Amino acid sequence: MSTAILTGSPVPGSSIEGDLRSLGFDVRTASDAGDAEALLAAVPGDERVAVVDARFVGHGHALRLGLTDPRFALAAIPGAVTAQPAGRPALTRAMARESSAPGGAAPGGAPALATSSVQDVDSLADRVVASLDADGADVHRPELGSLVAEVPADPQARNEARQAVAAVDDEAVRLKSAVKARDGFFTTHFISPYSRYLARWCARRGLTPNQVTTASLITALIAAACAATGTRGGFVAAGVLLIASFVLDCTDGQLARYSLQYSTLGAWLDATFDRAKEYAYYAGLALGAARGGDDVWALALGAMVLQTCRHVVDFSFNEANHDATANTSPTAALSDKLDSVGWTVWVRRMIVLPIGERWAMIAVLTAATTPRITFYALLIGCAFAATYTTAGRVLRSLTRKARRTDRAAQALADLADSGPLTELLARRVPAGLRIPAPLSALAGVVLLVLAAAFDGPGFSLLLAAVLYVLLCAEAVARPLKGALDWLVPPLFRAGEYCTVLILAAKAGADGALPAAFGLVAAVAYHHYDTVYRIRGDAGAPPAWLVRAIGGQDGRTLLVAVLAVVLTASQFTVALTVVAVAVAVVVLVESIRFWVSAGAPAVHDEGEPA
């Protein structure tokens, strides 16, 4: 139960007490700052508490945004401040300072007045916020837009504020804010116009975003099962259900934003289920094609490899630059200028083939054509999108004068997923050796992939795998702060995934490519999990996990050795065993983390829809 402490003189006819109760607060009234301090101390330390001026006038959704968002330890809007357990000590100190200040002086001896949009007005809640700011506390202030949140100083100002509240439709603003600002063309024009109302319908019936996310996953798995039948009716049903799954996928995020139901478990589900749905659907298409006598497992695995590498390019670039200093470039300026021209915004969003456009294309082609044609179109579209985005980011990196931070370098090192073998060798790289990290990584990947493609399982493959590990060690021997060092993680992903794909295809045994699909899916899950932990400021997965599954270098070397020493059928069994082992270890640790109290309460916007 959350507690709201009302301060200041009560206003006849005010709805603030009822508004707070509708948001789940137990309301208590304080006569002065000393009484408020006593009431604050009486609230259990593991509960949220809010201090609200009784004269507050504003929209209910403004209160909701300011007082109930679980992502922030401290938050405030004019006339109200709230603290979750993590922010309670800071709030208690600020309240004690205000309570003991003679005459209600603000920090530094300034008059105890908070600025309202109407005029200056004495508000204990706003004085506490000023004290928190003076202490250097991180107080979140939500963007209210047209919503009203004020503490009027007199009856005339209160009447004007109430008129301003009446002039803005609170529910319309809430529905609009439930939709992501930067979605793709298909989602914006064909999904969100009605999915937001579905989100509201779910909220009014007590459904949670996690339940909707689970429904989306189940729908996508049923779609994959329909595709696996290999019949035309099954393919049509699969396409329809894939679109239905995407509608629910949009709805769960809109429901979370509509009702501010962000959670640790929800962050994990939302971050991983999109990939699970898409890759399960690829597998369903491959199974359906096999029933009709067409083997497209290599295409399915290729689509998964390309899509995952695309995402790693996005993640690495963003992590390398999100807190860089002097982070400007002519290329970025040109991009901003193009965004100012309306139609170019939609074209550029569609070119990158976001999830909405991608799933719509997959659904239509599944229903109307064959799995092979679907995968061909998907590979061509994703390859073009990957080339476009990667080229643009390379140009930005070469033309900007950004200075990378230690945090960015550590994030890239974590995304590199280097195992104990590379770490050991990296410490022994000669200090005078200064090969650019992306060049070392690229050389290793090219050597390995060419050896696997042209020689298959043989001595040259083993030699290339050993050289690959040595070049990986050289690439990560120094902090990844170079202009193009963000390319190292996606290059490592391409090296590992493509080696598994090529060697499984070369094996030619029944089940080799499905086993490789399972292995890459398990490893890709680990890499996505790493990304979302970093985005939640929770750090990378524990070192023991990376060591237990070998790191990207250890797994790549292992697969190469297995391909050389085993027969084709034995290699298939070995890939299956490795896939199961990696999946079990990674999933158990990931689930443990995301349902633990230590996981970040975030709702990452993830890939634009």
Side-chain angles (χ1 to χ4, degrees):
M1 185 68 175
S2 302
T3 300
I5 301 171
L6 278 179
T7 66
S9 304
V11 178
S14 172
S15 63
I16 182 63
E17 193 168 337
D19 291 340
L20 290 170
R21 286 201 171 95
S22 70
L23 295 176
F25 286 94
D26 177 27
V27 180
R28 302 176 189 178
T29 304
S31 57
D32 54 30
D35 193 17
E37 182 184 11
L39 289 174
L40 176 61
V43 177
D46 60 347
E47 293 183 5
R48 175 191 286 274
V49 65
V51 178
V52 183
D53 196 298
R55 298 164 293 177
F56 177 90
V57 175
H59 287 99
H61 191 48
L63 280 174
R64 182 180 291 105
L65 289 171
L67 302 183
T68 67
D69 196 321
R71 297 172 295 176
F72 308 103
L74 292 163
I77 56 174
V81 60
T82 185
Q84 294 202 82
R88 286 286 299 276
L91 180 63
T92 299
R93 288 192 299 270
M95 180 65 77
R97 187 179 297 118
E98 292 306 315
S99 176
S100 61
L113 297 176
T115 301
S116 164
S117 62
V118 181
Q119 65 181 77
D120 286 340
V121 56
D122 183 12
S123 169
L124 175 61
D126 290 338
R127 297 203 318 262
V128 168
V129 174
S131 184
L132 287 168
D133 289 337
D135 285 343
D138 185 11
V139 181
H140 171 68
R141 290 173 171 84
E143 177 59 50
L144 298 180
S146 60
L147 297 175
V148 176
E150 297 178 2
V151 181
D154 53 52
Q156 180 182 348
R158 185 174 302 111
N159 183 55
E160 292 173 354
R162 286 173 174 169
Q163 290 177 0
V165 170
V168 176
D169 187 339
D170 178 274
E171 181 61 19
V173 172
R174 188 180 177 189
L175 271 174
K176 184 178 179 180
S177 64
V179 178
K180 269 197 257 182
R182 289 184 57 84
D183 272 339
F185 181 85
F186 178 76
T187 303
T188 299
H189 295 285
F190 294 96
I191 303 296
S192 292
Y194 58 88
S195 62
R196 69 184 75 183
Y197 295 100
L198 179 58
R200 181 173 66 181
W201 183 89
C202 293
R204 291 178 175 177
R205 283 152 184 81
L207 297 177
T208 68
N210 294 350
Q211 291 170 329
V212 178
T213 302
T214 303
S216 175
L217 174 66
I218 293 172
T219 304
L221 294 179
I222 295 173
C226 290
T229 63
T231 64
R232 178 51 52 195
F235 288 146
V236 171
V240 172
L241 288 171
L242 187 63
I243 293 298
S245 174
F246 180 65
V247 172
L248 292 173
D249 181 56
C250 293
T251 301
D252 66 356
Q254 291 166 0
L255 175 58
R257 289 183 286 273
Y258 180 85
S259 56
L260 298 184
Q261 295 185 71
Y262 305 111
S263 68
T264 56
L265 180 60
W268 174 67
L269 295 175
D270 188 71
T272 57
F273 275 16
D274 279 354
R275 304 288 77 76
K277 289 180 287 190
E278 187 165 359
Y279 297 161
Y281 192 84
Y282 292 175
L285 281 176
L287 289 169
R291 287 180 178 271
D294 189 12
D295 186 355
V296 297
W297 275 106
L299 296 177
L301 181 50
M304 181 166 64
V305 169
L306 181 55
Q307 192 59 34
T308 304
C309 289
R310 274 189 63 198
H311 286 142
V312 177
V313 167
D314 295 341
F315 299 146
S316 294
F317 180 81
N318 291 335
E319 288 301 322
N321 291 285
H322 91 283
D323 58 355
T325 58
N327 199 9
T328 59
S329 75
T331 309
L334 176 61
S335 177
D336 294 338
K337 185 176 293 186
L338 286 173
D339 279 345
S340 66
V341 182
W343 63 270
T344 65
V345 174
W346 294 118
V347 171
R348 294 173 70 218
R349 290 186 191 178
M350 294 172 68
I351 284 176
V352 300
L353 206 63
I355 188 171
E357 276 77 357
R358 192 168 67 248
W359 283 26
M361 180 183 74
I362 294 171
V364 170
L365 290 177
T366 298
T369 64
T370 65
R372 179 172 291 274
I373 293 175
T374 301
F375 281 123
Y376 281 153
L378 182 62
L379 286 166
I380 293 170
C382 288
F384 179 80
T387 302
Y388 170 79
T389 55
T390 304
R393 284 167 179 170
V394 168
L395 285 174
R396 287 192 183 195
S397 299
L398 292 174
T399 56
R400 69 181 14 147
K401 303 296 183 180
R403 291 186 294 275
R404 300 288 175 357
T405 63
D406 292 338
R407 181 209 173 275
Q410 184 57 53
L412 291 179
D414 293 334
L415 290 173
D417 190 28
S418 299
L421 187 56
T422 288
E423 291 178 350
L424 177 65
L425 293 171
R427 290 194 289 268
R428 287 163 172 74
V429 172
L433 193 61
R434 296 293 180 184
I435 302 174
L439 185 59
S440 295
L442 178 62
V445 170
V446 170
L447 284 173
L448 182 60
V449 171
L450 289 178
F454 290 103
D455 190 43
F459 175 76
S460 61
L461 175 64
L462 282 180
L463 179 60
V466 172
L467 290 174
Y468 173 76
V469 173
L470 291 173
L471 288 166
C472 287
E474 202 287 323
V476 299
R478 291 170 297 279
L480 297 174
K481 292 187 176 182
L484 296 177
D485 284 1
W486 56 269
L487 286 169
V488 170
L491 284 170
F492 285 174
R493 297 298 82 77
E496 179 181 5
Y497 298 167
C498 290
T499 299
V500 174
L501 189 162
I502 293 170
L503 293 178
K506 287 278 188 179
D510 290 340
L513 281 168
F517 189 97
L519 175 57
V520 172
V523 175
Y525 175 87
H526 166 61
H527 293 144
Y528 282 112
D529 187 56
T530 301
V531 165
Y532 284 100
R533 292 194 197 211
I534 293 172
R535 283 188 169 183
D537 290 326
W544 70 261
L545 176 65
V546 177
R547 295 191 183 101
I549 60 176
Q552 63 85 20
D553 50 310
R555 289 188 301 271
T556 305
L557 182 60
L558 174 63
V559 170
V561 171
L562 291 174
V564 171
V565 303
L566 299 178
T567 64
S569 58
Q570 291 171 335
F571 180 61
T572 300
V573 173
L575 283 180
T576 304
V577 171
V578 175
V580 171
V582 171
V584 169
V585 174
V586 167
L587 281 172
V588 168
E589 161 55 23
S590 177
I591 293 171
R592 180 209 64 78
F593 171 77
W594 286 105
V595 301
S596 71
V602 298
H603 182 84
D604 193 275
E605 295 299 321
E607 179 186 7

